[in-house]
Amino acid sequence: MSLWQDLLRQRLRQHRDQHLERRLTAFDAVDATRIRTPGAPQPLVNFSGNDYLGLRTHPALLNAITKAPELTAAGAGAARLISGNHPLHEQLEQELAGFFQRDAALLFSTGYVANLAVLQALAGRGDAIVQDRLCHASLIDGARLADGRLLRYRHLDVDHCAAQLNKAPGLRVLASDGVFSMDGDQAPIRELSALASQHDALLLIDDAHGIGVLGNNGRGLLEQAGATQTDVPVLIGTFGKAFGLAGAFVTGPDVLIDYLRNFARGWIYSTAPPLPLVAAQRAALRLLQAEPERRQRLHANIAEFKQAALAAGINLLPSDTPIQPLLIGNASTALRLQHHLQQQGFYVAAIRPPTVPADTARLRITISAEHHSSDIQGLITSIAAATRTTC
Ligand SMILES: *Cc1c(COP(=O)(O)O)cnc(C)c1O
């Protein structure tokens, strides 16, 4: 066997021994909350998706993707700055800017790439990125890609954030998740915005999990906090969560978007999003505005879930969002719980390091607007029984 194979096998074995090995399972959607997988005889109720509003199976989105009558091409054919810029891209960007009450928006292929591209573009040599320690992997990786210095602060700790900002040189980008993806808690937007303005830093919020979910109009955590474009100039969102699709956007002042079009390599050197996807993204944005009852049902379900957990003595991490983590600690215990719940008809993925810090493996339960009361009550009953025997 060659050296490289030997080394890869050895690293994989070590990963497996620590119960950290990843394996791929295929799932098909039966409906908004039920998924089918070859390993299970019956469909499972999915409590591990980010399709919070149940849009991913909505006929309007499927219709937009498959029919899109105005389209004469599937692919964009090139990057936006070459010949790949289609009127649909520009229409969606204008609609996004309008929805979020901001000057302009820019589409990206994914949220992961948007974060890499934006941080790399903004924080050059001599600049700095200050970010919450529990930020999403893409914000961490964006900071690694950027030439600027990375300073992290303790989770939600505004004083530590201020101390780090004091140390930071040059153009300072203060970056945070809005709703934290593995914890479900929320960044203190008003405090961060005050800090950013005191320190003349540029505040960036990645609200992947807040958009569509929080705020009276679904504009996310910034709407809930009453924060404008002036308070938080850089807002990043993804179409992969509440919009039920894939793709992402950055929205903010004209000068920011202009700058990104000139310096964000992850946007410049990448093919523009396929047109049927853009048509579906527009349909999702319309639905998100036209059907606020989805958001209301989601919040009623979150409240029912939390109430039932409390009554059953299940200790969840503090969260008012669809992300409701049950901290387990040990990775192999979390995996055992996942398997146990699957036998009961529920799919809840165990989240293990390095996705979360060491010894904080958890069941990351996510709630959808389309869950029924019986799904929620059934899951709670199964978790209560399982934690009695498994933990
Ligand atoms: C999911 C997620 C991303 C990545 O978005 P994709 O569009 O899935 O690549 C970025 N940031 C946060 C906070 C996320 O939860």
Side-chain angles (χ1 to χ4, degrees):
M1 205 190 310
S2 59
L3 176 64
W4 72 265
Q5 288 195 9
D6 220 25
L7 285 173
L8 298 197
R9 288 217 165 85
Q10 197 180 315
R11 289 172 197 177
L12 278 169
R13 198 174 320 116
Q14 202 176 2
H15 206 47
R16 194 175 311 133
D17 291 346
Q18 296 169 319
H19 306 282
L20 298 180
E21 187 191 25
R22 267 63 172 168
R23 275 170 184 274
L24 204 49
T25 310
F27 296 103
D28 200 2
V30 176
D31 57 31
T33 55
R34 257 143 275 261
I35 50 176
R36 200 190 299 282
T37 178
Q42 300 294 328
L44 303 168
V45 183
N46 187 10
F47 277 99
S48 273
N50 299 322
D51 175 26
Y52 304 123
L53 302 175
L55 294 188
R56 109 182 159 103
T57 50
H58 197 289
L61 269 55
L62 284 162
N63 209 43
I65 283 253
T66 52
K67 302 224 176 64
E70 70 274 35
L71 294 181
T72 53
R80 295 281 296 279
L81 290 175
I82 306 300
S83 68
N85 185 33
H86 190 278
L88 266 188
H89 296 123
E90 297 191 343
Q91 277 160 20
L92 175 56
E93 286 172 345
Q94 277 164 20
E95 288 159 4
L96 285 166
F99 176 62
F100 289 103
Q101 303 175 327
R102 286 165 171 263
D103 295 351
L106 195 63
L107 298 176
F108 282 80
S109 53
T110 69
Y112 185 91
V113 167
N115 282 337
L116 295 194
V118 169
L119 289 183
Q120 169 266 325
L122 290 174
R125 201 173 305 283
D127 298 332
I129 298 163
V130 175
Q131 68 175 238
D132 190 291
R133 210 181 263 162
L134 293 191
C135 275
H136 188 264
S138 54
L139 286 171
I140 298 170
D141 295 354
R144 288 160 129 183
L145 186 63
D147 287 326
R149 186 168 155 213
L150 171 64
L151 294 150
R152 303 217 278 172
Y153 59 89
R154 288 184 292 271
H155 185 47
L156 306 181
D157 186 335
V158 180
D159 294 333
H160 193 207
C161 175
Q164 297 293 56
L165 278 171
N166 278 329
K167 284 194 227 158
L171 190 162
R172 276 140 325 151
V173 182
L174 171 52
S176 177
D177 286 20
V179 171
F180 284 83
S181 59
M182 295 300 137
D183 295 77
D185 52 0
Q186 304 169 14
I189 296 295
R190 300 225 59 91
E191 284 97 323
L192 292 180
S193 151
L195 267 189
S197 86
Q198 276 162 31
H199 290 81
D200 216 357
L202 172 58
L203 181 55
L204 175 161
I205 296 292
D206 168 2
D207 201 21
H209 295 277
I211 291 167
V213 167
L214 300 177
N216 284 336
N217 300 287
R219 291 198 283 267
L221 183 58
L222 303 195
E223 182 183 10
Q224 182 181 281
T228 64
Q229 173 176 277
T230 311
D231 302 317
V232 182
V234 191
L235 172 62
I236 299 182
T238 171
F239 288 105
K241 310 282 159 67
F243 288 92
L245 291 160
F249 54 88
V250 178
T251 176
D254 281 323
V255 59
L256 169 80
I257 300 303
D258 243 357
Y259 183 88
L260 293 177
R261 285 196 206 106
N262 283 276
F263 295 107
R265 298 169 63 87
W267 181 81
I268 297 169
Y269 298 107
S270 194
T271 301
L275 307 177
L277 175 62
V278 181
Q281 288 166 339
R282 294 182 72 202
L285 179 60
R286 278 195 295 272
L287 276 175
L288 202 130
Q289 297 170 80
E291 301 185 359
E293 61 275 13
R294 289 176 181 273
R295 207 155 31 251
Q296 285 149 19
R297 259 186 294 154
L298 173 61
H299 286 285
N301 281 349
I302 295 168
E304 176 172 359
F305 177 81
K306 289 180 64 171
Q307 177 59 40
L310 187 67
I314 296 167
N315 276 323
L316 300 164
L317 295 185
S319 160
D320 295 319
T321 68
I323 301 165
Q324 294 287 326
L326 175 62
L327 195 63
I328 305 296
N330 182 285
S332 77
T333 311
L335 277 178
R336 274 211 308 284
L337 264 172
Q338 172 183 331
H339 293 140
H340 182 88
L341 291 174
Q342 179 155 339
Q343 279 155 11
Q344 308 288 310
F346 300 103
Y347 186 75
V348 187
I351 306 288
R352 296 163 288 159
T355 310
V356 291
D359 304 314
T360 69
R362 65 199 66 184
L363 292 183
R364 176 180 176 272
I365 300 158
T366 55
I367 308 294
S368 157
E370 298 287 8
H371 280 131
H372 298 295
S373 180
S374 56
D375 298 331
I376 292 169
Q377 299 297 336
L379 177 67
I380 290 292
T381 306
S382 294
I383 291 176
T387 47
R388 250 176 261 126
T389 56
T390 317
C391 294

